[in-house]
Amino acid sequence: MGAQKRKSDCPINYALELFGDRWTLLIVRDMMLKGKHSYGEFLKSEEKIATNILADRLALLEEAEVVIKLPDPAHGSKYIYKLSQKGIDLLPVLVELIMWSAKYDPDSTVEKKFVTQVKKNRETLLKEISSRLKEELAA
Amino acid sequence: MGAQKRKSDCPINYALELFGDRWTLLIVRDMMLKGKHSYGEFLKSEEKIATNILADRLALLEEAEVVIKLPDPAHGSKYIYKLSQKGIDLLPVLVELIMWSAKYDPDSTVEKKFVTQVKKNRETLLKEISSRLKEELAA
DNA sequence: CTGTATCCTTAGGGATACTG
DNA sequence: CAGTATCCCTAAGGATACAG
C-alpha cells in the first residue's frame, strides 16, 4: 500500500487522494478541534466509525505523516495520536469547510461565536489554535 | 435519492457528505479555476472521469444547488454548467487545499506565483476570483 | 484498551455500447 | 454533444468476534 498511481499531479487531486472519503477528515477534526488523541476517543464520536475503518485511516494518516503515533507514557499500553505539522497545517482547510457549512447547512451546529471570530480576525484565530496544537505536538 | 440519513450535523460531516469522494471536488475545480462549463470539457480533464460518474456527480451538485444547469443559448442542444453562489463560496476551501498541497506535495504543479499571491494578499485575490465567477453566474 | 480478522453487503467506479 | 444503460469488478464499510 501507499503509492498507488496518482490520477494527476493537481494539488486538489493530491488532497483528494488522502482525504477524498467520508471518514478521514472526521478523525482529523477530532484531533484538531475536539482534543481527542486515542483510538477509544475516536470510536466514541457520534458518526460511529467502524473499528476496521478507524484502524485503516489512522494507518494511512500515519503513513502520510499527517499523524504521529506514539506509546502513551502515562498509561503504558495505550497509544496516543498527535497531529504533525503537516496535520496542523490542515487547520485553514477545516476552518473554511466549517464556514461554508455554517452558511449553507440549515442544521449546522457551528457556534455563531466561532463564525464571527473567523470573520473578524481570521489570522489571529488561526494562530491561536495552531500554536496550541504545536504545544501539544511538542509535549 | 438526495436525503439519506446524515451521520451527524457536524459542519465537517455536512461537507463530507457532499464532497467526501474522489471526484466531486475535481468538477468544482474545473468550473472554478479552469473555466470549464460543459460536460465534454469535464470529460477531457486529465483525471479521466467516467461518463456515468460525471453525470451522477453533476446531478448531485445540481441537487445540492452548488451548480446550476441551463441550456446553452449559443449552441442550442448543449447544456452549460455554472457555479451558484453556494458553489462560488467554496473558493476559500479550494484555495486552502491548494496551499496545503503546494507545501507538502513534492510533485505539486501549483504555480509559485499563486502561492505568493495568496500569502501576500489573500483577501484581494479571493475577491478578484469570486467577482469574476459572479459575473459568469450573472451572464 | 487497542487493535485484527472475518464475513457479508453495498457503493464506487471503469469500460463500453448505445440513444436522443 | 450530452448523456443513459449495462456489465462487472473492486473498494468501502458495517457488524461482530476475537486477540494481545
Side-chain angles (χ1 to χ4, degrees), chain A residues 22-23 50-53 57:
Chain A
R22 294 185 123 79
W23 292 107
T51 58
N52 53 344
I53 306 296
R57 295 309 190 281

Side-chain angles (χ1 to χ4, degrees), chain A residues 103-117:
Chain A
K103 183 167 178 182
Y104 290 107
D105 177 13
D107 299 321
S108 171
T109 58
V110 185
E111 298 101 331
K112 290 188 179 162
K113 201 172 131 187
F114 183 84
V115 174
T116 51
Q117 267 270 26

Side-chain angles (χ1 to χ4, degrees), chain B residues 108-124:
Chain B
S108 172
T109 57
V110 185
E111 297 100 331
K112 289 190 179 160
K113 202 172 131 188
F114 182 85
V115 173
T116 51
Q117 267 270 26
V118 174
K119 284 184 180 166
K120 208 170 255 177
N121 221 331
R122 183 177 180 275
E123 283 313 308
T124 309

Side-chain angles (χ1 to χ4, degrees), chain B residues 89-111:
Chain B
D89 283 337
L90 282 170
L91 176 63
V93 174
L94 277 271
V95 167
E96 296 304 336
L97 281 174
I98 291 170
M99 294 298 284
W100 184 80
S101 295
K103 182 167 179 182
Y104 290 108
D105 177 12
D107 300 321
S108 172
T109 57
V110 185
E111 297 100 331

Side-chain angles (χ1 to χ4, degrees), chain A residues 51-115:
Chain A
T51 58
N52 53 344
I53 306 296
L54 175 58
D56 178 70
R57 295 309 190 281
L58 283 172
L60 287 175
L61 286 170
E62 197 189 350
E63 184 192 331
E65 300 184 276
V66 167
V67 155
I68 298 169
K69 173 183 184 174
L70 15 141
D72 187 339
H75 306 79
S77 82
K78 274 176 56 175
Y79 292 103
I80 198 167
Y81 298 87
K82 293 180 176 187
L83 289 172
S84 68
Q85 186 60 48
K86 188 175 177 182
I88 294 172
D89 284 335
L90 283 169
L91 177 62
V93 174
L94 278 270
V95 167
E96 296 304 337
L97 281 174
I98 291 170
M99 295 298 284
W100 184 80
S101 296
K103 183 167 178 182
Y104 290 107
D105 177 13
D107 299 321
S108 171
T109 58
V110 185
E111 298 101 331
K112 290 188 179 162
K113 201 172 131 187
F114 183 84
V115 174

Side-chain angles (χ1 to χ4, degrees), chain B:
Chain B
M1 28 229 74
Q4 345 67 319
K5 53 195 171 297
R6 292 175 63 170
K7 289 203 298 284
S8 80
D9 287 335
C10 165
I12 303 290
N13 186 55
Y14 176 76
L16 252 27
E17 297 200 349
L18 219 203
F19 303 110
D21 76 280
R22 294 184 122 79
W23 293 107
T24 307
L25 225 45
L26 295 179
I27 300 173
V28 174
R29 171 205 65 186
D30 281 354
M31 304 185 67
M32 191 173 306
L33 304 172
K34 311 224 168 184
K36 299 190 179 182
H37 296 285
S38 72
Y39 188 90
E41 289 174 313
F42 300 140
L43 271 187
K44 274 178 230 144
S45 292
E46 62 173 330
E47 290 90 2
K48 296 290 162 209
I49 191 169
T51 58
N52 53 344
I53 307 295
L54 176 57
D56 178 72
R57 295 310 190 279
L58 283 173
L60 287 174
L61 285 170
E62 196 188 350
E63 185 193 331
E65 300 183 273
V66 167
V67 156
I68 298 168
K69 172 183 184 175
L70 18 142
D72 186 339
H75 306 79
S77 84
K78 273 178 56 175
Y79 292 103
I80 199 168
Y81 298 89
K82 292 181 175 185
L83 288 173
S84 68
Q85 186 59 48
K86 188 175 177 181
I88 294 172
D89 283 337
L90 282 170
L91 176 63
V93 174
L94 277 271
V95 167
E96 296 304 336
L97 281 174
I98 291 170
M99 294 298 284
W100 184 80
S101 295
K103 182 167 179 182
Y104 290 108
D105 177 12
D107 300 321
S108 172
T109 57
V110 185
E111 297 100 331
K112 289 190 179 160
K113 202 172 131 188
F114 182 85
V115 173
T116 51
Q117 267 270 26
V118 174
K119 284 184 180 166
K120 208 170 255 177
N121 221 331
R122 183 177 180 275
E123 283 313 308
T124 309
L125 185 63
L126 288 180
K127 271 178 193 157
E128 274 176 25
I129 299 178
S130 69
S131 72
R132 181 170 52 69
L133 293 168
K134 262 186 131 154
E135 281 166 30
E136 280 183 9
L137 175 57

